[in-house]
Amino acid sequence: QVQLVESGGGLVQAGGSLRLSCAVSGSIFSINVMGWYRQAPGKQRELVARITSGGSTNYADSVKGRFTISRDNTQNTVYLQMNSLKPEDTAVYSCNLLLFTKNYWGQGTQVTVSS
């Protein structure tokens, strides 16, 4: 059974940094796509960043230059380094795994950025 567990969220002041981690357990195919999504109250869920098993990345325009997604394929862990955080980054961040057209989700971790 595939399980995703996020960690690293919390409260931070504007301009600060956080590093989110997503640990994946269970047997997964080597070719897949993982990403981070976020959803703020009253807003639709949006893609923040994603990374393929080959290392190709894609970012939302709002986070380009500030966030960096990376993965450790050996440890099946995905990271999201968030720098220069802004209040508008406040949301629940969820880790996603796309494997053979099936989506797996973590429980989400709250990121709150204060002014």
Side-chain angles (χ1 to χ4, degrees), residues 9-28:
L11 175 64
V12 65
Q13 292 183 328
S17 298
L18 285 174
R19 181 178 173 87
L20 305 183
S21 298
C22 176
V24 182
S25 62
S27 298
I28 60 174

Side-chain angles (χ1 to χ4, degrees), residues 3-115:
Q3 300 286 339
L4 284 68
V5 179
E6 304 100 331
S7 62
L11 175 64
V12 65
Q13 292 183 328
S17 298
L18 285 174
R19 181 178 173 87
L20 305 183
S21 298
C22 176
V24 182
S25 62
S27 298
I28 60 174
F29 191 63
S30 60
I31 302 177
N32 56 67
V33 180
M34 297 195 69
W36 289 95
Y37 292 75
R38 68 186 182 186
Q39 186 169 25
K43 299 181 64 177
Q44 293 185 331
R45 184 173 62 191
E46 65 174 344
L47 173 68
V48 177
R50 60 185 174 190
I51 185 169
T52 69
S53 53
S56 298
T57 59
N58 180 257
Y59 297 92
D61 289 340
S62 59
V63 306
K64 286 182 179 178
R66 300 188 298 119
F67 291 10
T68 302
I69 187 171
S70 61
R71 64 188 295 169
D72 185 333
N73 290 330
T74 301
Q75 299 182 3
N76 292 325
T77 304
V78 178
Y79 306 95
L80 184 67
Q81 179 66 45
M82 304 184 294
N83 298 325
S84 302
L85 283 163
K86 306 174 181 179
E88 50 262 45
D89 295 319
T90 296
V92 174
Y93 286 71
S94 299
C95 181
N96 168 263
L97 166 66
L98 177 60
L99 178 63
F100 291 120
T101 75
K102 182 175 177 61
N103 282 291
Y104 298 87
W105 294 92
Q107 81 285 353
T109 184
Q110 177 70 48
V111 172
T112 302
V113 184
S114 62
S115 301

